Amino acid sequence: MGNGPETRLRLAIFLLSAGITSYQLALMQILSYLQWYHFAYLIVSLALLGFGTSGTILSLFRAFFIDHKGVLMPWLLVACGLAMPWALRLSQTDGIRCDFYLLFADRTQIWRLAASSLLYLTPFLLGALAIGLALTTEKKNVGKLYCANLTGSGTGGLFGLALAALFLPTDLPSIIGLAPVAGGLLLFSGNNRRQLIWAVAFASSSILLIMAYPGKYAPSQFKDISRAMNAPDASIVKQIPSPKGLVQVVESSSLRYAPGLSLNYRGEIPSPPMVFLNGNVYGSLPSGEGSLNSSENLLDHTTEVIAYSLLEEGGKALLIQPGGEQSIGQAISHKMSKIVVVEPHGEIFSFYQNLVSKPGLKFTAKQHLQVENEYPRRFLADGADQFELIRLPTVGSFGGTAGIQALSDQFLLTKEFFHLAWNNLSAGGMIMVTCWMDYPVKACFKLTATLAEVLEELGVSQPEYHLAAIRSWGSITFVLKKTPLNSNQTDAIREECGKLFFDPLLLPDMKMGERQIHNLLGDDDFFETLNGLLRENRKEIYEDYAFNLRPATDARPFFYQFLKWPRLPDLIKAFGLQGAPFLELGSLILALNILLLGILALILIILPLFKLGWKKEGGAWTLIYFGSIGTGFMLLEIVLMQKLTLFLGDPLLATATAISGLLFFSGLGSLYSSRLKANGSTLRRSTCVTGLLIILFAIFTVILSRFGEELPTSLLWVFLLSSIAPLGLSMGIPFPIGLRVLEKKNSTQLTWAWGINGCFSVISPALGLAVALHAGFNAVFALAAIAYLLAAGVNLKHG
Amino acid sequence: MHMFNYCLVAAFFLPAGLMLEGAFEEERLKMVTKQIQYRGVSDKATLEAMGEVPRHEFVPSELEKYAYNDRPLPIGYGQTISQPYIVAYMTEKLKLEPEHRILEIGTGSGYQAAVLAEIVEQVYTVEIIPQLAARTKAKMKVLSSKNIHIKQGDGFHGWEEEAPFDAIIVTAAASFIPPPLIDQLKDGGRMIIPVGSTFGPQHLMLVTKLKDKIRTKRLIPVRFVPFTRQ
């Protein structure tokens, strides 16, 4: 590789693309902390429209950009890099800061959202203008430039994750912005020393200014961390950045952790240091010396007492993501011989690891605590041990989730996961899971339906003898037992209920009237629906109930997706237009996202048509071909990220593998494309092959899901990368070849094609997520394949 | 010249202010009949109190125009002023008598305390956020509310010096009910707690204490009925 202008341009595009992808990941991290994940998703999608907008601008001012390319290119890169920290800084000023939680409650937030989106869009727009300008004017090198773009993006994905482990999220844009700035300076260095000096001076003063006024980044006032910090003596005692989110430890005398405590409890309630992950409560840390050895464990005064009322001393307990010390303390106090804690989050894991070496911790001679930093499904798939108790993380949150989690996959709440856990139980073992009661009731019902279906699939005769549950004023704890419950055991459960003012909810020998002794629900429909879900004809309830209660599966792992669109008017009627959106915020924000993006994308595509002409220029071919491959690429990327989470366990690792793997191999594909002839036949073949490879890949993932979790990680990586490689190579070819074909047909449409590709790429992730939510991952694979086959089809006639 | 200007301004703004007050009163009346009575709240004292307390005085000035809307409103620090109907429903369910002493946990805007103070003898209210406590104290001074006592502190401990209470109202629900609050409730006393997401549908929980037996009852002000096939 030489140091001529072409090499410098490729290197600059590589740096710019790396910076843009890292910035996108950083923005997701920042907004997930300041707001919530799906709002972050919305704003990043809007910001990515910068790519679509760049196509429109380049189409409308093509001559100007081509004439001034030499000056504009480096300045666009410098401006893109500097805009990254400034966009964030300005978005957090008083007049613009948006609290997305208030979007449906305070109309002024809409304007703030628009202003924030515009700010976040700026760096993407500037960067995309530079990439678009390069790709549409460097006709001979389009394959190599596209390769630099894709491999740069892939590298940026990995780079972004590495930086997230080292720096606070809000510091990332300033660091990432240096990559595009360096790219810009590189381009200046070749042709214009005077401008180089100006650029260095400009960049330096901008960086100094932002260092002098770093701004204040406060999470939404409705986030757990903000509420905790409202207490007068609250302070953040530890802060650890990590790619999985910012971990913060808060101490305050008024922060207490005793979720679902019995109203009969009169003892002390400790104020332990609380752990927050991305501003949301994650759990508590040991509150002091010997707190784990307290004979009176708080959880014994919650509905979680149910399992220990059935267990004998000396068994083995597996605590999956326990969310604090209390369940460990409970297992110790009940003299479990072996307690295994599985925690996938590295930083939280290290807190637990400290427990093992804690000098105040006193085990009996026969007790043993083991802490594993592992994804729970992979740990269970190893099947190294059989447990008397498997405790799962609590489902839902106090007061309901406001639909916030609707879009996140929950592989620990699918039917397949319960099968896996069941297989790891000892002969008399049990699974325990607690669920916060929400209103209207959704999560508890879906969990009941899941347990009932799992028992049915396991072929357990008399399933009602294997399921027990008790209810407090705010929570329900279920126990799924391998051997049938006997009368001594049900009596023991009743005794605990009486002592703690709880009520039995599910017992094999349920008696009339005992379900509402202490906690009246005032809603008999609750028990009727619950009973119905345990019967074989539960599908009628699935149809009739206002929310989606069908259990989550590995192909559709969205446990918290409850919305049934046709029933939305009922909800609005019952709860009003102001209240109903907070039942299903996640799904509604996604719908809003698709609608907004659709409208904007339409405007961005149609606008240039007035200037370019529609029919005579073969606009339909350009629109369908570049729209299809943009859609197909992004649909596959989004489904790949979610599907790989199932195999690799960690969503972040899955994202890095999907983005970086796919983009790296696509980069190689585009490099190879320079050797191919640019004609209709190549377009047909490459898109057709891609479509077929997607179908094969989908089949491969179905097969892999049957045994993937049991494979050693290294072998799993080999399987995954070797299957992504051909797919990526093939997906890298259609775009550069398409540009070369278009260049021959009508070069004025090149920039428009870039814009179309960008617009469809932006809509597709939201669309892919919506399809996955309602129809599952396989439907997204099918759509991606159809998109490529459509691009092949359009070349049967054209090209 | 100066004097003339002042007169002009006063002549313009005074009627405007009075008109605004009149408009708020009209909205308040509508709120009582169309949002509260319509949904089944019938306790005379509660309805009178809701018709009396100027809700618009308790919301941030930029949200004044929405004060009588059928919804909660943000008041800062992640807190809200509850939907008028929820305030009325909670008040009614406490079965208040004029001689009652009430404890409120979570003063917030002070609106709920002001409504209670119209009905009962003494209202004791605790707010943990110092800024909110100070703001509401100042507001109560302006409104000359003499039977409302505000303390800045941790609501977990209740107000031991003034206990026991005939009723306790917890306006900011937590994932557990503090044992000291149960202790500070009189025998036969009632405690009410709203549960639900900040702006989403909320339901209420009534806790009753009778000879050391504690019972809870879920009250559902917005009955959720769409269980049947369409």
Side-chain angles (χ1 to χ4, degrees):
Chain A
M1 193 188 264
N3 60 355
E6 280 177 17
T7 311
R8 271 203 299 275
L9 181 62
R10 287 212 302 269
L11 197 56
I13 293 292
F14 177 89
L15 285 169
L16 173 63
S17 307
I20 288 175
T21 313
S22 303
Y23 180 63
Q24 186 188 341
L25 288 176
L27 212 50
M28 288 290 287
Q29 284 246 321
I30 295 162
L31 294 173
S32 297
Y33 170 64
L34 298 178
Q35 302 285 323
W36 282 271
Y37 173 78
H38 60 292
F39 293 114
Y41 186 83
L42 164 72
I43 209 152
V44 171
S45 300
L46 286 171
L48 277 169
L49 260 186
F51 276 83
T53 319
S54 72
T56 306
I57 294 173
L58 286 173
S59 299
L60 295 176
F61 308 103
R62 184 176 154 80
F64 171 80
F65 275 93
I66 291 174
D67 291 348
H68 300 86
K69 188 184 155 196
V71 182
L72 282 174
M73 272 297 284
W75 274 112
L76 281 171
L77 268 77
V78 172
C80 168
L82 296 179
M84 288 176 178
W86 276 110
L88 179 68
R89 171 73 183 80
L90 294 174
S91 73
Q92 295 303 306
T93 48
D94 285 341
I96 300 174
R97 189 186 298 118
C98 176
D99 199 327
F100 305 137
Y101 198 71
L102 290 173
L103 212 51
F104 290 93
D106 172 11
R107 282 174 206 157
T108 62
Q109 297 296 329
I110 295 171
W111 301 111
R112 289 170 179 263
L113 172 69
S116 306
S117 303
L118 205 65
L119 281 169
Y120 293 131
L121 179 144
T122 310
F124 292 104
L125 172 64
L126 293 166
L129 277 173
I131 298 170
L133 189 60
L135 284 176
T136 53
T137 52
E138 297 287 324
K139 290 145 198 170
K140 284 180 193 165
N141 294 317
V142 67
K144 288 175 186 169
L145 278 174
Y146 194 50
C147 171
N149 172 221
L150 292 175
T151 49
S153 300
T155 312
L158 295 174
F159 185 61
L161 295 179
L163 285 179
L166 300 171
F167 300 96
L168 287 177
T170 45
D171 291 338
L172 292 175
S174 306
I175 299 159
I176 291 165
L178 294 175
V181 170
L185 297 182
L186 194 70
L187 291 180
F188 274 128
S189 67
N191 54 8
N192 197 330
R193 284 195 166 266
R194 202 172 153 198
Q195 294 236 6
L196 175 67
I197 294 164
W198 273 110
V200 170
F202 181 63
S204 315
S205 46
S206 170
I207 291 165
L208 285 172
L209 199 62
I210 210 150
M211 280 166 72
Y213 301 98
K216 198 180 163 198
Y217 303 100
S220 160
Q221 55 173 316
F222 300 101
K223 291 206 85 167
D224 297 337
I225 184 104
S226 302
R227 290 172 194 260
M229 293 306 290
N230 277 335
D233 63 343
S235 62
I236 296 173
V237 294
K238 203 167 190 178
Q239 198 157 246
I240 310 161
S242 109
K244 290 179 190 172
L246 182 64
V247 177
Q248 290 169 305
V249 181
V250 177
E251 280 184 2
S252 163
S253 62
S254 48
L255 277 182
R256 294 179 186 83
Y257 194 65
L261 192 66
S262 158
L263 297 179
N264 200 21
Y265 182 77
R266 287 293 179 276
E268 286 295 310
I269 298 180
S271 304
M274 297 289 293
V275 183
F276 294 82
L277 182 61
N278 265 344
N280 303 313
V281 168
Y282 193 84
S284 66
L285 293 180
S287 48
E289 272 318 291
S291 66
L292 280 177
N293 294 115
S294 165
S295 59
E296 192 161 53
N297 190 282
L298 279 182
L299 289 183
D300 281 343
H301 296 267
T302 70
T303 47
E304 296 217 352
V305 74
I306 184 173
Y308 290 97
S309 70
L310 304 175
L311 280 169
E312 286 173 13
E313 289 179 3
K316 293 177 192 170
L318 171 64
L319 310 175
I320 294 174
Q321 289 176 245
E325 56 155 343
Q326 288 177 356
S327 55
I328 303 171
Q330 191 184 25
I332 294 173
S333 68
H334 285 278
K335 301 197 167 41
M336 301 303 281
S337 63
K338 183 177 179 182
I339 302 150
V340 182
V341 175
V342 178
E343 174 54 60
H345 194 293
E347 302 304 332
I348 311 286
F349 160 76
S350 63
F351 290 131
Y352 293 133
Q353 213 177 20
N354 291 340
L355 286 180
V356 181
S357 55
K358 202 173 160 57
L361 200 62
K362 292 183 195 113
F363 292 109
T364 62
K366 289 178 186 170
Q367 283 186 301
H368 171 61
L369 176 64
Q370 178 187 333
V371 186
E372 295 283 341
N373 185 202
E374 173 71 287
Y375 179 56
R377 285 186 68 136
R378 290 196 65 79
F379 178 84
L380 287 171
D382 282 348
D385 231 329
Q386 301 275 290
F387 296 93
E388 272 65 43
L389 172 68
I390 298 180
R391 180 196 181 272
L392 306 187
T394 303
V395 175
S397 62
F398 174 70
T401 60
I404 292 267
Q405 291 171 291
L407 309 184
S408 59
D409 43 40
Q410 305 285 335
F411 285 107
L412 298 190
L413 286 172
T414 64
K415 287 199 288 180
E416 289 85 344
F417 173 74
F418 279 97
H419 279 276
L420 197 57
W422 181 271
N423 292 337
N424 281 264
L425 288 177
S426 65
M430 68 190 83
I431 299 167
M432 173 168 73
V433 55
T434 298
C435 181
W436 280 110
M437 285 186 74
D438 46 359
Y439 173 75
V441 186
K442 295 169 286 183
C444 300
F445 283 163
K446 194 178 265 196
L447 186 59
T448 309
T450 308
L451 299 178
E453 283 200 15
V454 167
L455 281 173
E456 213 168 81
E457 286 165 8
L458 286 164
V460 172
S461 61
Q462 295 187 301
E464 66 274 18
Y465 279 86
H466 295 262
L467 192 58
I470 60 174
R471 181 175 65 85
S472 73
W473 59 272
S475 63
I476 298 173
T477 298
F478 294 86
V479 156
L480 195 67
K481 201 167 174 298
K482 212 158 188 182
T483 50
L485 285 149
N486 58 40
S487 60
N488 287 340
Q489 290 170 327
T490 55
D491 286 347
I493 293 174
R494 283 193 177 92
E495 198 185 321
E496 291 295 344
C497 283
K499 277 195 283 187
L500 299 168
F501 300 159
F502 297 151
D503 294 307
L505 181 64
L506 295 172
L507 290 178
D509 53 351
M510 205 78 206
K511 289 168 190 153
M512 277 286 282
E514 69 173 332
R515 276 173 154 178
Q516 295 195 75
I517 296 170
H518 302 100
N519 302 286
L520 304 180
L521 272 184
D523 182 7
D524 290 336
D525 286 340
F526 174 84
F527 299 105
E528 207 174 298
T529 310
L530 191 89
N531 290 343
L533 288 169
L534 296 170
R535 288 193 286 265
E536 278 177 16
N537 59 351
R538 68 182 71 88
K539 288 194 173 59
E540 279 177 25
I541 296 175
Y542 293 164
E543 295 298 318
D544 292 349
Y545 200 68
F547 295 97
N548 170 27
L549 299 181
R550 285 180 194 278
T553 61
D554 281 355
R556 252 175 87 179
F558 305 99
F559 182 89
Y560 293 104
Q561 197 282 315
F562 297 109
L563 183 65
K564 281 181 175 175
W565 282 99
R567 304 299 287 269
L568 189 61
D570 286 341
L571 300 180
I572 292 172
K573 206 172 154 191
F575 301 112
L577 197 56
Q578 307 287 347
F582 290 91
L583 280 173
E584 295 294 344
L585 265 182
S587 300
L588 290 174
I589 289 284
L590 181 65
L592 184 73
N593 194 358
I594 294 172
L595 188 75
L596 275 175
L597 291 173
I599 293 169
L600 288 171
L602 209 64
I603 294 168
L604 292 174
I605 292 169
I606 286 179
L607 200 63
L609 276 182
F610 289 103
K611 199 185 171 200
L612 295 171
W614 170 247
K615 286 178 184 169
K616 61 179 178 182
E617 304 283 358
W621 179 86
T622 311
L623 177 65
I624 297 172
Y625 181 79
F626 286 98
S628 298
I629 60 171
T631 305
F633 197 106
M634 288 311 288
L635 281 179
L636 190 87
E637 195 173 292
I638 199 90
V639 72
L640 201 60
M641 279 191 246
Q642 289 178 313
K643 198 80 192 176
L644 294 195
T645 307
L646 174 64
F647 300 125
L648 300 172
D650 178 3
L652 216 77
L653 201 59
T655 306
T657 311
I659 293 183
S660 300
L662 204 62
L663 292 178
F664 175 74
F665 288 113
S666 295
L668 291 183
S670 58
L671 196 64
Y672 173 71
S673 75
S674 4
R675 296 183 185 181
L676 298 172
K677 279 185 186 168
N679 57 30
S681 159
T682 314
L683 291 183
R684 262 198 311 276
R685 271 186 282 141
S686 63
T687 43
C688 199
V689 166
T690 307
L692 294 174
L693 280 174
I694 291 172
I695 295 168
L696 283 177
F697 185 79
I699 296 168
F700 171 74
T701 56
V702 172
I703 298 166
L704 194 63
S705 62
R706 298 215 177 123
F707 62 90
E709 283 167 338
E710 293 160 30
L711 289 176
T713 314
S714 51
L715 199 59
L716 188 64
W717 271 82
V718 172
F719 268 114
L720 287 174
L721 285 178
S722 54
S723 59
I724 291 173
L727 199 57
L729 282 169
S730 157
M731 286 166 77
I733 296 170
F735 184 74
I737 296 283
L739 284 184
R740 278 164 57 199
V741 169
L742 188 62
E743 201 264 323
K744 280 192 233 164
K745 286 167 64 174
N746 184 349
S747 63
T748 57
Q749 283 188 353
L750 282 173
T751 47
W752 187 49
W754 166 247
I756 291 168
N757 192 264
C759 275
F760 279 86
S761 307
V762 172
I763 301 168
S764 308
L767 190 70
L769 194 53
V771 173
L773 274 177
H774 296 280
F777 292 145
N778 291 338
V780 187
F781 275 123
L783 267 185
I786 289 169
Y788 274 100
L789 294 175
L790 184 67
V794 88
N795 283 302
L796 289 175
K797 211 170 157 188
H798 301 272
Chain B
M1 187 64 189
H2 258 349
M3 196 60 195
F4 176 75
N5 279 347
Y6 285 134
C7 290
L8 206 64
V9 169
F12 180 78
F13 282 108
L14 205 62
L18 289 173
M19 273 169 67
L20 206 61
E21 278 305 316
F24 280 138
E25 204 171 322
E26 201 177 307
E27 278 193 62
R28 193 153 62 240
L29 205 68
K30 265 192 209 165
M31 172 192 85
V32 173
T33 50
K34 296 196 171 166
Q35 297 172 30
I36 300 170
Q37 260 184 312
Y38 174 76
R39 289 196 181 109
V41 173
S42 58
D43 177 55
K44 200 170 160 235
T46 304
L47 293 173
E48 277 175 9
M50 293 297 291
E52 202 61 44
V53 180
R55 185 173 159 94
H56 61 276
E57 299 275 3
F58 294 88
V59 302
S61 54
E62 68 273 18
L63 297 175
E64 235 179 30
K65 59 185 169 187
Y66 306 117
Y68 295 97
N69 283 11
D70 188 15
R71 58 164 164 146
L73 291 170
I75 57 166
Y77 305 98
Q79 309 296 312
T80 57
I81 176 171
S82 294
Q83 182 189 7
Y85 168 62
I86 295 283
V87 174
Y89 188 85
M90 285 168 80
T91 310
E92 183 182 57
K93 286 292 164 190
L94 288 175
K95 295 192 174 167
L96 301 173
E97 297 293 339
E99 69 279 9
H100 276 177
R101 290 155 60 83
I102 310 294
L103 172 66
E104 182 193 35
I105 304 297
T107 315
S109 66
Y111 178 64
Q112 175 75 69
V115 169
L116 292 169
E118 290 286 320
I119 304 170
V120 301
E121 199 173 85
Q122 299 297 335
V123 178
Y124 297 87
T125 176
V126 185
E127 173 59 57
I128 193 167
I129 303 168
Q131 297 89 329
L132 270 184
R135 194 164 84 185
T136 309
K137 256 184 197 171
K139 175 71 66 186
M140 293 305 176
K141 222 173 229 177
V142 172
L143 295 174
S144 315
S145 307
K146 295 214 167 66
N147 58 343
I148 299 175
H149 311 276
I150 303 174
K151 181 168 89 169
Q152 189 275 314
D154 186 356
F156 176 86
H157 303 292
W159 198 321
E160 211 179 339
E161 302 83 353
E162 301 296 338
F165 299 97
D166 298 281
I168 297 177
I169 188 162
V170 183
T171 56
S175 58
F176 67 96
I177 298 169
L181 297 189
I182 304 269
D183 290 337
Q184 289 172 27
L185 191 63
K186 269 187 190 169
D187 190 32
R190 298 158 81 86
M191 184 192 300
I192 198 155
I193 300 164
V195 184
S197 61
T198 316
F199 294 101
Q202 290 192 325
H203 68 262
L204 302 171
M205 192 173 74
L206 182 70
V207 181
T208 48
K209 181 178 170 184
L210 208 59
K211 291 176 185 161
D212 287 336
K213 283 272 177 203
I214 297 144
R215 293 183 88 185
T216 71
K217 185 178 181 182
R218 282 198 166 208
L219 308 166
I220 304 178
V222 183
R223 181 144 177 88
F224 179 65
V225 284
F227 287 148
T228 49
R229 194 188 288 272
Q230 288 292 289

